[in-house]
Each structure stands twice: as structure tokens, then as C-alpha cells.
Amino acid sequence: MTEHAAHAEEIHPEPKDFFHKYVWSYDHKVISKQYLFTAFFFLIVGGLLAMLIRWQLAYPFQPVPVLGSLLHGHLFFDDSGAITPEGYLQLTTMHGSIMIFFVMIPMLVAVFGNYLIPLQIGARDVAFPLLNALSYWLYLPAGILAFSSFFLAKGAAEAGWTGYPPLSDVSSSTPGSGSGQIFWLLSVFLVGFSSILGGVNFLTTIVKMRAPGMTWDRLPLVTWSQLITAVFQALATPVLGSAMALMFMDKVFHTSFFIPSGLQNSDDQLVGGGGLVGNAGGGGHPLLWQHIFWFYSHPAVYILILPGMGLASELIATFSRKPIFAYKPMVGSMATIMGLGFIVWGHHMFVSGMSPAMGMGFMMTTMLIALPSGVKVFNWLGTLHRGSIHLTVPMLHGLSFLSMFIIGGLSGIFMAATPVDIYIHDTYYIIAHFHYVVFGGSVFAVFGGLYYWFPKMWGRKMNDKLGYLHWFLTFVTFNCTFFPMHLLGEGGQMRRLATSTGYEYLQPMQDINVFISVSAFILGASQIIFLFNYFYSIVKGPKAEANPWNAITLEWTIPSPAPYHNFDKIPTVYRGPYEYSGEEAEKVGRDWIAQDEKLPA
Amino acid sequence: MNSAITNKLNIFITLLVITAVQIGLSYADFLAPVGHIIAALLLAASETILVGLFFMGLKNDDRLLRTTALFPFVLFCIMNGALVLDVLIFMKH
Amino acid sequence: MQKRHPWLVGLGLLSMVGWLLLPAKAFAGLSFGKLVPNLNFAFGNTIDSLYSIIFWIVTILFIGTEGAIVLFIILYRKRDGHKAHYSHGNKFAELTWTLIPMAILVWLAIFQQSTWAFIRADMPPASESNLVQVFAEQFAWNFRYAGPDGKFGTPDDIMTINQLHVQVGKKTVAHISAKDVIHSFFIPYARIKQDAVPGMLNRIWFEIDKIPCWDLKAQQMVFFSPDEIKEKKVALDGFAFKADNVDITGVKKYHYDPLPDTKTAPILYEGKIEDRPIEEAEYVQHPIEIACAQLCGLGHYRMVGYVVVDTPETYDRWMQQAIQNKLRSGESKWTDIWDKYYPQYNTAE
Amino acid sequence: MEHTAVRVETEERLENVSFGMWLFISSEIMFFTPFFAMYIIMRNAHPELSHPHMLNVPIASVNTFILVISSLFMTNAVNASKSGDGVKTSNNLLLTALCGLAFLVLKAVEYSGEIKEDLLPSTNIFYSCYYTMTGFHGLHILIGVIVMGILAWRARRGDFTKTYNSPIEVCGLYWCLVEVVWFFLFPVLYLV
């Protein structure tokens, strides 16, 4: 068993029939593509929801142009085709839930993690291929559950993606909190369970199945970020599962975990267990849900950004033709984020009735966790410094990640300062902050990653002209959409308002809302360019060679598209992942040298 | 081989004894209510360590598995510590 | 490498440079005080100044880092003869940009502990402040004042819906809870926000130091300090507040019109309230708004409350009137729920 | 998984499986953490709702002993599978599954006793916590019993050899996890 002979023999023959090749497949590359196409579908659904939200905010209660006349009286439209107040809440809740659980986490972790981890560490497949397939086949029904909750009699869940009780818990408090909320609970539980299995799978793969020579300081930063994300997924997502289980018990078995005694519904009847009139129960505490939910959800926002950081590091280093600046501190800051990530969740609850003393503690840890992100930003700048920057499409996305993540991170500091958070909490300032970090950060990293690894995934190249056009439109309209939200936040416009025009002090905000909506429509439209470019190039794109970007990591040493069993022989790794323009590269006459390339004697 | 088996039997018997002690102690009323809680939790923790080390094989596993086994209990204390601090101690009802 | 398109790349750079000088960023910082002026001189100013301190630190960092990106793109762009410099890092640079941000962040954190404690933890004593109970429900704010006997839950309490009366310059302590779902008591002009959680009593205090009035000539809101208002003729009622829709974006135009066939109105002038002819009124007492900042159901967007800021004279006048005609609107909420299930909330501290 | 020739599992594969299972065990412990957090808050916020020995302690004590005995059978099964003896493994697995079933039956008896006295999850927050914690723990035991049944059937059929016994190892770890959770549940709910 010396030179990994066992691995070589274990090559299962590639399945031939359509079912085992594409549907019930164990191959990590096929599973990642299954996740990719499902995440694209939910990206379109989530995007449409966002367009409806922006329509309602710009032209409150005016009939929606096309969809309104088609679906008047159904879903979230009233008879005249305008969006109803409870319909608006369903839009915001499902926009948030679908984008986070069904688009971003799968796109960042399941698509890139699944595809890249085995290839970058030199393994044939993930540690547990059956478990990998099981993760996808838990994620898909969860998606179907979430999507079908729109068509329920009383509509989808309406308590925000955070689902704070008693609004989400007491079914009579709002129409969506009946069966819609139960569908939401089940679908989030299922997608949480699938992401726990994914975390366990990836963590075992990275820790245990690295090729010989792939020591911890030669691991590419994409895989490092997937490792830290997998730790968060394996240890924090179960807490979300039990929060969902507790509220499920509340709604179905009429327990009263989050229902305080003496709670009344809107027609002044006392409600007990399960929010039902006449039940005794009570004695629960709504703040417990917030504590348990945010104990998961802060690690979840790091699950959303860490893979993006890994992708951006890869893109920036490759297209500056220069090793990543300070590799060890980059890994160190990710480890610090893992350490601090579990003890910061209270900064979501500064004004929620959590005691002020706790606020002080969480302010300290929140201020500290801003530091690793700052260190990473400066290291990326260090990588760009004195590099030879190729402004290809993936690089432009990588630079957009860097520039937008800076704004997202800096606007986070305002919230960490608790007195300022008193004013801007639950306003559009918060929405601007997390859209800058999630959209400006992770989505640009995902677009960059999809362009960058398209040749390896499909064996073809995407069209560059469309790529530049899509980047430029998205970059400009993204800023025009989300930067003015800082102004809305400073003007005190609260989140999740069907319209802000009811408030006299918010009148000056309405023109900003209209500007945001118009740029949001253009932003939505410009994504069609990307989707067309992606699917068109899968079929019609020019053939791609094995290493079109002259990159170093192991996945570029195998032909494109990556063959079924990845490596003919498990490679041996001799150097770090970012050895661009070094002496070793000069010895082989190029400005890069692959990780497993033996130097000529 | 037989030392392994007798080892397993010894552990098994100690577990039975600890459970019996736990139940017995709970009926002893010389301990204050707080004492009951501490005694019960200590015995439960000792049972967990015994099962973990011997029945689950942590005894001859590397440091990685031991940290994996320990880390959730650290998070258990972080979450419960923060919740108890906030809801019970700092909150003026 | 693919063929590059210079004009496209130029466009990309332009947008990045343009983005750098985007006036919005500067406007954003300076606008903080303009959009919603702060009326709470107790801690509102510290929040505003803290915001601007963080804003200037952030803007310097922003200009520095974004500028560095664009500079590096231009300086180190790929061109023949230019090779990337091989380096794995520079200890000195790494140390500086770890320690300096850490110092700033820790200083920021420590600097605010006292502000946070002042705003949240130490409540003003009962002698110096008015105590009011706030009971949020699905889509309205119920307020209760202790009335002459100074105790809550007694028959002489004053209860109002969506109408909070506050004395200018005097601290107000609010004990906040909710009936059905979580709401959030948010007065933007007073820079305060606190969730109203059912089954829990949250305490905040605030102070409003300017009196908002409506300038009848300019038809817009103005703020007077207690001594400025002495020379102004402010009508206390006799006017109706109207809002007309301007266009489909829902923007509204507000104006006060005198009530039809009213000759005289109570006008506050030089600290005295007398009935004067309605034409003499130059200003009308105008409330500032309370908003609900936590998602509380389908009426979340229309849960508007009003804070009427009174001078001592107008406050006493209103209180006397309320006591006389036993103002107890929304009484069932208090007697059937607050006093019945949460009697321990009727505390003074 | 069709019945292939005798599968060979490398030493590494066993390492991966046990590390993966340990991660899953820590995620299960994290799944129960909020339940304990909820319980601790509830007991302190509403001390009047419960007192020591309020629930049916005899049945729970018997259940605890049953679980301890089942863990002995489980370790025997794991040792037998290490030495490749399919039949012995299968017998021990069936014994453990039997103990699991006995646990569930006693649990059902306990529940029906309480439901007869009209002590439902909706009566008060203590019973909400009690039913949720023991309910989810019982669910985990049920899953364990089903998995052990399948493994016992496969062991009897000779699927597992000296070089391929990771499923039994995994099942052993899972069963000890379920036992450890009960070790904490039992005193916290019944004795204190």
C-alpha cells in the first residue's frame, strides 16, 4: 500500500446509462453540476421575487405590469394585480430564504466545494460519494417544498428569513404563519441536514484524503476556505435544525417554547401552546429563538463569505501572476474567523431586549472579528502590488469582490458600534451592508469562479465579449442599487416595509427608492446575459485546452473537461499553490510551474 | 484478546454501578438541590467519558478525533453560558 | 491568454475610478444629520458624532484601499517586458496592517462601552423623569400615564392610542412590552429604538429638546428650542393636517388647513395659552413620528405613532383635559392583559 | 449496493469513516444543545412547574439499564465483526436492537401513562421540554434499531469480513452517541 496503489485499483468503471451517469450519480463533478443547475433555477426565482419587492417599494400598491394582470387574485397579487401587504411579506421572506439557503450556500459550498476539493487535493472523489449524492437528494425536495409553499391557500411564510416568534409561531398572527411557516420550517430543516452531511463529507475529504506532498502549507486557499466552511457547516447547522424542530413542535404538537404566558392574538383571545386559543401552555420566551437562530446564522454568514474569499484569492493570485501575499496570515485569519465566529452572534440582538451587559461583550468580539477580514483585504492588495495584472473577465470579478467586500466590511463597523446600531438596526443600512457582502462579495466571486473553471467543467470556453458586458452592467447597476440604501438607512427607513410613504419623515426617501428600483430592474435584466452566455457556451463554446489560464493548482494538470476518475495516477505535490514568476518557473521557461511538476534534474 | 473482553466487562459493570449510584443519590435528601444537580451531572459526565474512551475507541485514537469529540461540548458551554447569563442573570423581570 | 479589448478594459477602469469619486459617499456621511435631525441632546449627539467619527475613519480606509486597487491595476497592468515580482509577503507590512486596525477597533470598542452603558444601562431616577408605559399591539401603540396618584393600574390612569405626550427638555422613561408579536419602538428624531417583546419588559429613556412645529407659510416642519418658541405664535389645535398624493410613487405633500368656520384657536404665545383669532397663528404644534422597526405582520408598514412634544404649559393643559374627560382609550388592553398577566410590570424603576 | 465479491476496505477507508462518523456525532450533540439550553432556562424561569422524581422514575431507570446492557452487546458485535465472524456479529446486533425496541416499548408505556393523566406537550413548558427531548431521543433510537436490523441481516448474509466492517463500526459509534445523550437526559429530566 505504499504509493497509493489501493487508490488506483479502486477505480469504479464509469456508469454508461443515462440514469446512473447524470441522475443517481456518485461522481462529485456530476453532483456539483446538479447543484449548479438547481441553484441557477432558484437564482432566477429569487431574482424575480426581488424585482417584485423593488416594484412595490417604488410604486406602492400599483398593479404590476405583466405578472399582475396574469396572476391577479392569486399568489401575492390582489384582484387589481397589485401586491398585497401580506404578499409583500411573503416576497421578502422567501427572497431571503431562497437566496441564502437555496442559491448562495449551494453555489459556494456545494458547487465549488464539490467540484474543486477532490481535484485540488489530488483525490479521486470525496470521502463518502453516497453521502454526497444523498446531500443533493435532500436539498432538491427541500427546494421543492420551499417553492411549493407559494401556492398554499394562505401563502408562503411571512416572518422574514429569520422567522422570529411569536409572529412565525402563532398561526393567527399573520396569514402566512399557518401552513406556509410549517413548509418553511421543514424545507430549512432538510436543507440544513443536507448541508450538515456536506460539511462532514468535505471536512473528512480535506483532512484525510490529500495527495502525498500536499501538506497543510501547500493547500490552495479555495480548499482552505472550504475546510473552515465545512467546520461551520458541521457544527453550527445542527443548531438551526433544532431551532426548526422546536418551532415545529410548537406549531404541530402545541408546545409553547417561544410563546410567553399571557400572549394574546389580534382579537384579544389568550393563546397558549401552539398559539391556539384555549390551550394552557405559555412560559416560553421569544428571545430564546433569536439566541438559538443567530448562534447558527452568524456562522452561516461566514459560510456565505469564506468560500468567496477563497475563490477571490485564487483569481487575484492567478491573474496577478504572483504568489498570494502572506499565505500563512491568510490561513491564520480564516482560522481566527472560525474561532470568533461562534461567539459573535449577539450583535444581531443589541436592541432586541438582550441585556446591555451582554451587548458590551458582543460588541468587543464583533469589533475583533472585523480584524481578520481587514488583514485579508490588505493581503489581497499586497498580492496586486507589483504583480502583472491580466484584466480577464474572472479577474474583473475578483477585483469587484475585493472592492465591494471592502465597502461591505467597512459598513459593518458602523453596526458593531452599539450606540450607532441603536439607530441603524433593522433599517436599510443593514440591508445595504449584507447585500454588499453577499452580492458584492460572494456573488461576484461565484461569477468569477464560474468563468474561471468553466473550461475545466465543460471543456469549452465562454464568450469574452458577453463576459465583459455582463461584468460591466452588473458592477455599475449593483452599486447604483445597493449604495443608496446606505442613505435610506441614514434616513431611518425601516426594513420589510411594504411602503415607506406612510411616514412623513420618510417622504424624501421615496425618490431614492425609485432610483434603486430602476437600477435593480437593469441589474436583474443584465443577469440574462450571463445565463445565456453560460448555457450557450456549454453547447457551442470553442473547445478549451487543459490549462487556458496558465494556473498552477492540480485541477489544471488534467484534461478539460475533467475525466471521470480525475487523475490517472495520484499526483505527488512538490510546491505551494501560487508559485508564479519564481525561479522554479523560470527554470521551466514559463511564469508558472504546476504543483506536481518535477523540476528537470 | 481476553484482556479486551474483561476490560469491556469492567467498564460495563462500572456503568451499571454509576447509574445505580445516580438513582440512589437522587433519593438521598441530605444533599441540597444544587448538590443533586452537580452530583447528577458529574456522574453523567463520568459515564460519558467512560463510554467515549472505551466503547467508542477514543482511547487509541489520535488527537484529531479527541478534539472532534470535545469541541461540541465547548460550544455547548458557550451557548448555555450566554443564554443563562442573558435570560436568567442580567434580565430584570 | 485571450485577446483583450482595450476599450472595454478602459471602460472598466473608468467605472472603478468614477466609483471612487462618487459624491454619494461624501454626501452619505454629511447627510446623516440633515435627513433626520437629532432632537435628543442627551445622547443623540453622541450617536451622531460617533457615526461621523467612524464615517471618517472608514472613508479614509475606503479611499486608501480602493485607490490602491485602481492604482495597482494601472501601474502593474500586463504589458510586454513587465514581469511580476516574486514575493511571499513582507513581515513589516503584515505587522502594521494587523496592529493598526486592531488598535483602532479595540479603541472604538472601549470608547463606546461608556456611551452604551449611559444610553442603556443607567436609567434616570423617577424624580427627574416622566414614566410612561408602552404596550405595542398589532398595528397600534398604546400609551399609559400614571395620572395624579402616580401609580399604574389605578382608575385615574390616562391611556391614549398612538399619542405620546412628552415634556421638552425633561427625560422620559418608557417601559415597553407587547401584546401579540415582537414590535420595535423607534423614534428616529430621538435616536432611540427598543424591541417590544411580549412577556418581557424593556426599559429605555430619552429626552427631546426641541419642539417640532409646522410653519403655516412655508408649509414645512420647523424645530424651536424652548426659548425660541416664546416669541412664536403656535396654535395648539383648530387646524387639520392633510396629505395629498403627488404621483404613483406614493410621495405625499402635507399641509395644515384651518378647520372650517372656526374663529378662534388656543394659541401659545410668550408662555401663555389664550384663545386668539385663528388668523394670528403662524405655526401649529406638529407631532414627530414613532415607527415600528421589527416585522410584526401585514400592517407593519402602517404602524405610525405620534410623539407630541409639549412645553410645560401645554403639557399641563393636556394632562388637565385628559384627567377631566377621563381619557382611557384602549383601556381593555391595559386592564385585561397588562394588569392581569403582568402586574409586576407596574413598577416605578 | 449489489452483492459484489468480498469488498476490500483499506486502512485509510476505516480512518475516513470513523473521522466522518465522529463529525456526525458532534453535529448530533450540537442538535441536542439547544434542547438542554431551553430546559435550563425553563427550569430556572419556572421552578414551580417541576420537582425531582416528578416523572416516572422506575421506567426511566429500567430504560437506562437497558441502554447500558445494549451498549455491551454493541461492543461485542463490533469486536465480532473485527474478527470477521458474521453470525456472532448478527446475533449481537439483534440483541442490541432488541434492547432498543424494549426501550421504545417502555417509553410508549410511559407516554401513554402520562397522556391518560392528560399531561400533554401543551399542558405546560416543562412537559413541552420533556416530550421534545425524549421524543427526539426516541426517534434516534428508532433509527438505530432499524439500521441495526438491516446490518444484522447483511452480517448474517456474510457481507462483512475481516477487511470490510466499517458499517458496524459506524453503527457502534452511533449507538454509543444515543446512549451518551440518554446519560445526560436521564438525570436532568428525571432525577433533578
Side-chain angles (χ1 to χ4, degrees):
Chain A
M1 301 280 191
T2 51
E3 202 48 51
H4 274 276
H7 264 289
E9 290 131 22
E10 219 189 73
I11 299 175
H12 304 291
E14 184 173 357
K16 287 290 167 283
D17 58 319
F18 176 86
F19 179 73
H20 281 95
K21 201 165 180 358
Y22 295 112
V23 180
W24 179 249
S25 157
Y26 288 176
D27 175 17
H28 69 104
K29 298 183 284 302
V30 171
I31 292 171
S32 114
K33 287 169 188 166
Q34 289 169 340
Y35 267 108
L36 181 68
F37 292 134
T38 324
F40 269 151
F41 168 74
F42 281 114
L43 181 68
I44 296 166
V45 168
L48 280 177
L49 298 181
M51 294 304 122
L52 289 172
I53 292 171
R54 281 320 316 178
W55 171 268
Q56 165 68 8
L57 286 173
Y59 312 105
F61 302 118
Q62 303 294 332
V64 178
V66 174
L67 273 177
S69 48
L70 276 172
L71 293 166
H72 61 85
H74 306 283
L75 290 179
F76 4 78
F77 302 99
D78 62 11
D79 298 337
S80 74
I83 293 170
T84 58
E86 61 272 16
Y88 178 78
L89 294 186
Q90 286 164 25
L91 288 175
T92 43
T93 308
M94 293 317 284
H95 171 71
S97 308
I98 286 179
M99 280 307 204
I100 289 174
F101 293 116
F102 295 104
V103 175
M104 283 319 290
I105 293 185
M107 196 67 99
L108 284 164
V109 176
V111 170
F112 287 108
N114 249 324
Y115 198 87
L116 293 178
I117 291 178
L119 291 180
Q120 288 203 336
I121 61 170
R124 296 215 182 288
D125 204 326
V126 284
F128 313 112
L130 171 64
L131 202 63
N132 207 8
L134 190 62
S135 287
Y136 177 74
W137 292 104
L138 277 172
Y139 160 76
L140 192 62
I144 294 165
L145 253 177
F147 186 71
S148 58
S149 71
F150 284 120
F151 306 100
L152 287 168
K154 288 217 190 115
E158 274 179 35
W161 85 278
T162 48
Y164 277 4
L167 178 66
S168 51
D169 212 345
V170 177
S171 319
S172 58
S173 58
T174 183
S177 286
S179 45
Q181 192 70 32
I182 292 179
F183 267 58
W184 183 82
L185 289 174
L186 287 177
S187 78
V188 172
F189 182 86
L190 274 180
V191 80
F193 189 57
S194 129
S195 104
I196 294 170
L197 298 181
V200 165
N201 208 339
F202 292 161
L203 205 53
T204 315
T205 313
I206 299 173
V207 170
K208 288 285 179 185
M209 295 176 68
R210 282 166 289 131
M214 177 64 83
T215 57
W216 286 115
D217 54 10
R218 291 181 178 161
L219 202 59
L221 283 175
V222 170
T223 312
W224 261 114
S225 63
Q226 295 290 345
L227 175 77
I228 311 282
T229 315
V231 170
F232 275 135
Q233 273 190 314
L235 290 178
T237 317
V239 171
L240 176 79
S242 58
M244 297 300 148
L246 287 171
M247 190 173 275
F248 184 81
M249 290 292 289
D250 258 15
K251 294 187 89 66
V252 173
F253 292 99
H254 314 320
T255 56
S256 53
F257 288 114
F258 307 117
I259 294 168
S261 26
L263 191 74
Q264 306 256 326
N265 60 21
S266 33
D267 31 28
D268 294 355
Q269 293 160 306
L270 191 68
V271 292
L276 293 179
V277 180
N279 263 355
H285 199 302
L287 239 56
L288 290 179
W289 165 275
Q290 295 184 20
H291 272 295
I292 298 172
F293 178 81
W294 287 115
F295 185 87
Y296 158 72
S297 290
H298 196 78
V301 300
Y302 283 111
I303 292 173
L304 285 169
I305 194 66
L306 274 171
M309 288 177 174
L311 295 174
S313 311
E314 190 84 20
L315 297 176
I316 290 175
T318 311
F319 291 107
S320 313
R321 310 311 296 167
K322 186 170 174 291
I324 201 85
F325 192 90
Y327 174 90
K328 280 203 169 42
M330 285 293 256
V331 173
S333 59
M334 278 202 255
T336 327
I337 285 180
M338 181 179 86
L340 289 171
F342 281 114
I343 50 174
V344 218
W345 77 87
H347 59 233
H348 298 277
M349 299 166 62
F350 282 143
V351 283
S352 72
M354 181 174 76
S355 55
M358 296 287 287
M360 289 188 195
F362 280 119
M363 169 162 50
M364 270 315 247
T365 50
T366 309
M367 279 295 181
L368 285 182
I369 207 162
L371 189 61
S373 309
V375 164
K376 288 178 86 70
V377 162
F378 290 119
N379 282 340
W380 283 319
L381 290 179
T383 315
L384 289 173
H385 179 61
R386 296 177 71 186
S388 150
I389 297 170
H390 296 56
L391 281 178
T392 57
V393 173
M395 182 53 163
L396 282 179
H397 281 288
L399 289 173
S400 319
F401 168 93
L402 180 53
S403 51
M404 293 305 115
F405 179 70
I406 287 172
I407 299 170
L410 292 179
S411 63
I413 296 176
F414 288 94
M415 284 141 225
T418 39
V420 178
D421 187 63
I422 291 176
Y423 182 76
I424 57 174
H425 180 68
D426 267 343
T427 64
Y428 266 76
Y429 206 94
I430 310 277
I431 292 187
H433 163 67
F434 68 67
H435 276 97
Y436 259 92
V437 177
V438 169
F439 192 113
S442 300
V443 169
F444 273 120
V446 162
F447 281 149
L450 287 177
Y451 275 107
Y452 183 64
W453 276 290
F454 188 89
K456 191 52 65 184
M457 273 182 159
W458 304 102
R460 292 173 178 275
K461 282 203 211 126
M462 288 177 77
N463 179 310
D464 259 337
K465 276 204 185 52
L466 287 179
Y468 282 113
L469 179 64
H470 164 253
W471 170 79
F472 178 71
L473 278 176
T474 308
F475 185 81
V476 173
T477 50
F478 163 79
N479 280 298
C480 298
T481 309
F482 291 111
F483 193 82
M485 285 188 183
H486 287 103
L487 299 182
L488 292 183
E490 283 160 11
Q493 178 174 337
M494 294 78 70
R495 289 172 76 162
R496 297 164 171 155
L497 289 182
T499 172
S500 63
T501 50
Y503 289 90
E504 185 209 330
Y505 82 96
L506 288 178
Q507 290 315 313
M509 299 294 122
Q510 194 52 17
D511 320 336
I512 304 176
N513 273 321
V514 174
F515 173 75
I516 292 174
S517 292
V518 168
S519 23
F521 297 146
I522 306 168
L523 178 63
S526 59
Q527 299 321 313
I528 297 167
I529 305 169
F530 171 75
L531 289 172
F532 167 76
N533 187 2
Y534 199 87
F535 289 105
Y536 176 82
S537 311
I538 291 179
V539 183
K540 287 280 193 311
K543 281 271 185 263
E545 64 275 21
N547 193 350
W549 315 105
N550 291 339
I552 285 180
T553 42
L554 289 179
E555 77 266 24
W556 301 107
T557 61
I558 55 174
S560 307
Y564 178 73
H565 48 270
N566 294 357
F567 300 92
D568 301 335
K569 192 182 85 45
I570 297 292
T572 319
V573 175
Y574 300 102
R575 62 188 61 77
Y578 300 113
E579 288 307 310
Y580 292 102
S581 345
E583 310 83 23
E584 286 179 333
E586 259 138 40
K587 282 214 189 75
V588 291
R590 301 187 295 260
D591 76 344
W592 60 277
I593 174 163
Q595 274 195 297
D596 66 344
E597 201 170 332
K598 255 180 132 46
L599 278 179
Chain B
M1 258 312 272
N2 56 18
S3 75
I5 292 172
T6 48
N7 193 336
K8 293 278 189 284
L9 276 180
N10 298 346
I11 302 296
F12 167 64
I13 290 158
T14 29
L15 285 178
L16 289 179
V17 164
I18 291 177
T19 320
V21 164
Q22 224 175 9
I23 299 165
L25 255 182
S26 72
Y27 284 99
D29 45 22
F30 56 83
L31 277 174
V34 180
H36 279 298
I37 296 171
I38 295 167
L41 288 184
L42 275 184
L43 287 171
S46 60
E47 280 173 330
T48 315
I49 291 164
L50 276 179
V51 167
L53 282 184
F54 296 99
F55 285 179
M56 288 168 116
L58 272 183
K59 195 159 181 1
N60 32 40
D61 277 333
D62 55 10
R63 220 159 45 79
L64 179 70
L65 285 190
R66 291 202 185 133
T67 35
T68 321
L70 194 69
F71 196 50
F73 292 100
V74 170
L75 292 179
F76 180 99
C77 302
I78 289 174
M79 175 190 266
N80 281 322
L83 249 68
V84 163
L85 262 177
D86 180 31
V87 178
L88 297 182
I89 294 168
F90 289 140
M91 192 82 60
K92 289 189 295 215
H93 279 295
Chain C
M1 277 303 187
Q2 279 98 339
K3 200 166 66 53
R4 257 193 320 95
H5 305 280
W7 59 272
L8 245 179
V9 171
L11 215 58
L13 295 185
L14 202 65
S15 77
M16 283 215 172
V17 172
W19 159 234
L20 236 177
L21 314 169
L22 194 69
K25 185 69 192 176
F27 169 65
L30 307 180
S31 73
F32 186 77
K34 308 293 176 301
L35 289 173
V36 178
N38 162 45
L39 306 181
N40 166 1
F41 298 159
F43 52 81
N45 299 348
T46 26
I47 290 181
D48 284 8
S49 57
L50 190 59
Y51 183 92
S52 42
I53 291 169
I54 297 176
F55 170 73
W56 288 114
I57 295 173
V58 159
T59 305
I60 295 161
L61 279 172
F62 167 75
I63 305 283
T65 42
E66 305 280 3
I69 295 174
V70 174
L71 200 67
F72 291 161
I73 291 177
I74 295 165
L75 280 181
Y76 307 113
R77 66 189 182 287
K78 164 187 176 304
R79 53 194 187 280
D80 303 340
H82 167 74
K83 241 170 62 45
H85 160 71
Y86 178 82
S87 98
H88 264 292
N90 158 342
K91 277 286 169 280
F92 173 72
E94 285 157 40
L95 265 181
T96 43
W97 65 45
T98 315
L99 295 180
I100 293 174
M102 175 181 264
I104 295 174
L105 289 171
V106 168
W107 171 74
L108 268 179
I110 291 169
F111 168 74
Q112 286 137 39
Q113 303 283 20
S114 53
T115 334
W116 171 252
F118 172 66
I119 294 171
R120 259 302 143 67
D122 22 2
M123 289 289 145
S127 55
E128 280 170 26
S129 59
N130 297 340
L131 179 57
V132 69
Q133 291 180 336
V134 181
F135 201 34
E137 65 172 321
Q138 271 192 319
F139 319 128
W141 300 95
N142 299 301
F143 298 101
R144 181 161 75 169
Y145 310 81
D149 68 354
K151 281 200 292 307
F152 287 99
T154 52
D156 76 339
D157 293 350
I158 311 279
M159 298 162 195
T160 57
I161 297 182
N162 288 341
Q163 276 284 345
L164 170 62
H165 278 261
V166 165
Q167 239 172 319
V168 67
K170 191 164 191 225
K171 292 189 172 69
T172 309
V173 174
H175 288 182
I176 302 170
S177 184
K179 176 184 87 129
D180 35 35
V181 289
I182 296 180
H183 303 266
S184 182
F185 186 68
F186 174 37
I187 307 178
Y189 287 101
R191 299 290 190 266
I192 53 127
K193 177 183 290 148
Q194 178 57 54
D195 276 13
V197 182
M200 206 177 129
L201 187 72
N202 292 330
R203 296 160 173 77
I204 52 156
W205 71 276
F206 59 93
E207 180 189 296
I208 295 185
D209 300 293
K210 281 198 148 181
I211 299 152
C213 297
W214 190 269
D215 182 344
L216 285 172
K217 274 184 284 312
Q219 288 298 347
Q220 66 175 12
M221 188 149 71
V222 286
F223 302 104
F224 297 124
S225 67
D227 9 329
E228 279 167 1
I229 204 159
K230 287 204 170 38
E231 309 97 24
K232 301 287 186 310
K233 286 194 168 62
V234 177
L236 299 183
D237 56 41
F239 285 83
F241 187 54
K242 295 245 175 356
D244 339 330
N245 270 333
V246 170
D247 55 24
I248 62 167
T249 65
V251 175
K252 294 188 175 47
K253 200 93 193 61
Y254 294 98
H255 51 84
Y256 268 95
D257 308 332
L259 288 173
D261 57 54
T262 51
K263 293 289 166 294
T264 66
I267 291 182
L268 168 75
Y269 181 59
E270 282 160 357
K272 288 189 299 305
I273 305 166
E274 298 126 357
D275 277 351
R276 293 163 175 270
I278 201 155
E279 295 70 26
E280 271 184 39
E282 302 145 356
Y283 301 93
V284 181
Q285 189 179 24
H286 184 65
I288 53 174
E289 282 165 323
I290 300 169
C292 171
Q294 179 70 36
L295 177 58
C296 59
L298 51 90
H300 171 51
Y301 70 99
R302 51 180 162 80
M303 199 171 154
V304 187
Y306 297 98
V307 181
V308 178
V309 186
D310 290 314
T311 60
E313 304 84 18
T314 52
Y315 185 76
D316 299 340
R317 171 177 173 273
W318 175 76
M319 193 56 94
Q320 296 317 328
Q321 272 174 351
I323 292 165
Q324 258 146 28
N325 41 39
K326 288 223 164 313
L327 183 59
R328 293 175 69 85
S329 41
E331 184 178 4
S332 68
K333 304 294 182 306
W334 296 98
T335 49
D336 303 351
I337 308 164
W338 184 288
D339 296 341
K340 195 164 155 207
Y341 291 100
Y342 310 111
Q344 73 278 12
Y345 289 171
N346 291 334
T347 63
E349 48 80 22
Chain D
M1 297 248 274
E2 66 289 345
H3 187 46
T4 57
V6 172
R7 255 190 74 165
V8 175
E9 233 180 19
T10 61
E11 175 54 26
E12 265 156 29
R13 172 69 186 172
L14 199 56
E15 250 178 55
N16 292 355
V17 164
S18 63
F19 179 58
M21 192 55 202
W22 268 103
L23 281 173
F24 183 70
I25 282 169
S26 40
S27 84
E28 279 300 317
I29 292 170
M30 287 307 292
F31 178 74
F32 279 96
T33 321
F35 296 156
F36 284 102
M38 181 66 73
Y39 184 76
I40 292 167
I41 302 289
M42 183 279 296
R43 277 301 292 267
N44 287 285
H46 303 281
E48 77 290 350
L49 283 181
S50 67
H51 52 79
H53 310 299
M54 173 167 153
L55 295 167
N56 187 332
V57 176
I59 288 190
S61 320
V62 170
N63 268 346
T64 317
F65 287 118
I66 286 175
L67 271 190
V68 172
I69 294 160
S70 71
S71 73
L72 181 67
F73 289 136
M74 195 67 220
T75 39
N76 292 350
V78 169
N79 291 345
S81 74
K82 277 213 179 72
S83 59
D85 177 349
V87 174
K88 194 156 178 283
T89 319
S90 172
N91 294 343
N92 276 305
L93 277 178
L94 285 179
L95 278 172
T96 324
L98 222 64
C99 293
L101 275 181
F103 180 95
L104 289 175
V105 164
L106 280 176
K107 194 52 105 178
V109 165
E110 189 184 352
Y111 277 169
S112 58
E114 277 146 3
I115 290 168
K116 245 206 278 337
E117 290 160 31
D118 206 11
L119 297 169
L120 297 169
S122 55
T123 35
N124 62 33
I125 186 92
F126 173 79
Y127 278 98
S128 305
C129 287
Y130 162 69
Y131 275 105
T132 312
M133 292 164 104
T134 45
F136 276 102
H137 177 262
L139 188 71
H140 280 78
I141 287 201
L142 185 65
I143 295 166
V145 165
I146 294 166
V147 165
M148 270 189 275
I150 297 167
L151 285 183
W153 174 67
R154 285 185 60 198
R156 194 168 290 283
R157 215 178 49 168
D159 278 10
F160 303 118
T161 62
K162 202 192 281 291
T163 55
Y164 168 54
N165 64 6
S166 56
I168 310 284
E169 295 271 342
V170 160
C171 186
L173 290 175
Y174 175 82
W175 195 251
C176 290
L177 157 77
V178 160
E179 189 191 359
V180 160
V181 170
W182 180 257
F183 279 151
F184 277 98
L185 266 179
F186 172 60
V188 156
L189 277 171
Y190 292 87
L191 302 182
V192 166

